Amino acid sequence: MSELPTCRWGIVATGLISSWFVADLVVERDGAKVKHVIQAIGSSSSEKGREFAFKHCPNATPTIYASYTELYSDPDVDCVYIGTPHSFHRQNCLDAIAAGKNILCEKPFAINAREAREVLEAAKKKGVYIAEAMWLRHRPIVADLRKVLFEQHGIGEVSFLSSQYNLPVDVASLPSTSRYRDVKLGAGSLLDVGIYPLTWALVCLDPSDSQNLELPNILAAQTHSSGVEVTTSVILHYASTGRQATILSTFTAAPASNVVCRIHGSKGYIDVTGHDASHPASFTVYREISQGKFEAQEHDYPHPGQGFIYEADNTALDVLAHHTESATMPWAETIRVMEIMDEIRRQGGTVYPQDQA
Ligand SMILES: NC(=O)c1ccc[n+]([C@@H]2O[C@H](COP(=O)([O-])OP(=O)(O)OC[C@H]3O[C@@H](n4cnc5c(N)ncnc54)[C@H](OP(=O)(O)O)[C@@H]3O)[C@@H](O)[C@H]2O)c1
């Protein structure tokens, strides 16, 4: 039996997302094209690193580093995964790039487009791989849905969509050091979860590739509580096609339904359902067969673990092939997303200290 190509990961930070990511790296699945090894953990302390490895990497023996810098210098790490709060992504990426490491960095890629451009420029100069960990885009459901929309024209001409992410967070009750409370860490619903409805709007309304990206017109409002942006509503409008999206993110209410995105077209609509806008599980095409009557066709997407394996596989294969960018989440798309979120925040009145740097 031939050996699978192997990618050795260096995990930066031991928070929630890092624990989810490492669990999925080693999840049981059929037909794997690549093997993942949890090679090293970098943390603010060796105790935290050891505890993380004990709890979340039971079948691995990663090297534990009491700093991120030491991890970047480990020659046995092929790709660094950055799971720190948003405000640290820029510096973590710049440090890893300086050490010549390939990088998968959690979303949002940075606090604003200026930071994102700085990091991507540094990666380009150094010739390393770097990608934003927008795991939603790597899920097979997204590629299949785009086929239904833009190749099969399953609901006719696409005209508008709505998508939202409700994550109840009682910001006022959190310690001032929480990343949900501290604006220095990038607190706010848009960068945390609003990026997912925005992603649905981009992937379902815009069939263009990364060479030809359109910046939609934006109309946005934001609400703040305890100094933190807790609700964001946005209308996106594509001038070229007239397509529109209404997207929303909030910390103030629980989800009222499992429909995370609804896309309308001239011949029907599609409901994407799931736990939330980052965890889609299925989509149903409702095609109009006569006025007001719809025929439903459901497409289910069971996935191993939580579904991080798709972005992990694609990243590993890119790194092993010596690519510098992801075809699924190209640099130009990361910049477009950051520019849109910058404009939403400009209209909504959310300013981070990093914007004034
Ligand atoms: N893709 C997804 O579905 C998803 C889900 C959740 C979060 N995320 C993203 O992942 C990033 C981290 O989120 P999280 O929920 O995992 O955060 P978290 O649980 O608060 O963990 C963040 C980790 O970063 C390190 N860190 C370094 N400096 C820190 C500081 N000053 N304050 C707090 N932590 C610090 C800590 O690890 P050490 O002490 O070990 O260094 C900490 O455990 C965010 O950018 C978020 O948007 C993505």
Side-chain angles (χ1 to χ4, degrees), residues 20-353:
W20 289 357
F21 186 72
V22 295
D24 271 17
L25 277 184
V26 293
V27 76
E28 288 283 328
R29 67 224 167 95
D30 296 327
K33 292 196 188 94
V34 62
K35 181 180 168 199
H36 301 283
V37 170
I38 305 163
Q39 184 68 29
I41 311 285
S43 175
S44 55
S45 81
S46 46
E47 293 73 37
K48 276 182 87 174
R50 273 198 298 276
E51 196 187 327
F52 179 89
F54 177 74
K55 225 164 135 185
H56 303 293
C57 319
N59 300 315
T61 49
T63 309
I64 309 295
Y65 294 111
S67 76
Y68 303 157
T69 322
E70 287 171 274
L71 181 143
Y72 303 144
S73 309
D74 184 336
D76 292 331
V77 167
D78 300 313
C79 189
V80 169
Y81 168 80
I82 293 176
T84 52
H86 331 328
S87 55
F88 299 108
H89 293 176
R90 171 187 165 272
Q91 195 58 54
N92 297 153
C93 286
L94 290 175
D95 292 345
I97 291 166
K101 283 295 181 232
N102 301 300
I103 302 165
L104 178 66
C105 176
E106 261 311 327
K107 48 55 59 179
F109 188 69
I111 291 287
N112 55 37
R114 184 181 47 73
E115 287 192 350
R117 279 194 211 93
E118 181 188 359
V119 169
L120 295 174
E121 197 51 45
K124 190 175 175 186
K125 269 198 194 133
K126 194 78 177 177
V128 295
Y129 178 89
I130 188 163
E132 179 179 358
M134 178 35 79
W135 65 315
L136 172 58
R137 291 187 188 240
H138 293 266
R139 288 173 175 266
I141 189 174
V142 170
D144 289 356
L145 183 53
R146 276 168 67 90
K147 265 186 216 140
V148 170
L149 291 172
F150 301 122
E151 289 175 26
Q152 299 162 5
H153 303 286
I155 53 169
E157 181 57 28
V158 175
S159 54
F160 64 96
L161 72 69
S162 56
S163 178
Q164 69 182 64
Y165 198 135
N166 295 26
L167 177 70
V169 179
D170 184 2
V171 172
S173 71
L174 294 171
S176 59
T177 51
S178 162
R179 75 173 187 83
Y180 290 102
R181 175 84 198 260
D182 185 353
V183 288
K184 292 196 291 305
L185 299 182
S189 81
L190 173 65
L191 267 55
D192 199 59
V193 292
I195 195 168
Y196 291 109
L198 172 57
T199 296
W200 284 110
L202 296 173
V203 298
C204 294
L205 295 186
D206 185 356
S208 61
D209 59 32
S210 65
Q211 303 308 313
N212 185 27
L213 296 175
E214 179 176 349
L215 211 52
N217 297 317
I218 295 160
L219 188 61
Q222 294 186 303
T223 301
H224 300 81
S225 175
S226 306
V228 173
E229 175 268 300
V230 292
T231 302
T232 293
S233 295
V234 187
I235 297 173
L236 298 164
H237 168 250
Y238 283 92
S240 66
T241 56
R243 290 178 183 147
Q244 296 194 15
T246 53
I247 59 173
L248 181 138
S249 60
T250 187
F251 286 160
T252 65
S257 106
N258 69 347
V259 177
V260 297
C261 176
R262 176 170 288 170
I263 310 143
H264 295 262
S266 55
K267 294 187 175 150
Y269 65 97
I270 294 176
D271 276 350
V272 184
T273 52
H275 180 266
D276 56 56
S278 70
H279 282 85
S282 66
F283 70 87
T284 305
V285 181
Y286 295 92
R287 202 176 159 82
E288 193 162 23
I289 42 173
S290 60
Q291 207 181 7
K293 283 211 170 115
F294 295 88
E295 179 185 74
Q297 195 178 10
E298 190 174 338
H299 306 258
D300 292 322
Y301 289 83
H303 47 75
Q306 294 208 57
F308 288 94
I309 197 64
Y310 305 115
E311 86 176 350
D313 281 359
N314 288 342
T315 304
L317 292 170
D318 278 344
V319 164
L320 295 170
H322 305 292
H323 296 161
T324 53
E325 54 180 302
S326 158
T328 309
M329 189 65 201
W331 296 356
E333 186 63 344
T334 285
I335 295 289
R336 176 166 73 153
V337 168
M338 291 307 319
E339 283 177 344
I340 292 172
M341 294 201 298
D342 283 0
E343 176 58 19
I344 293 170
R345 292 197 295 111
R346 192 191 65 74
Q347 292 184 25
T350 302
V351 181
Y352 292 112

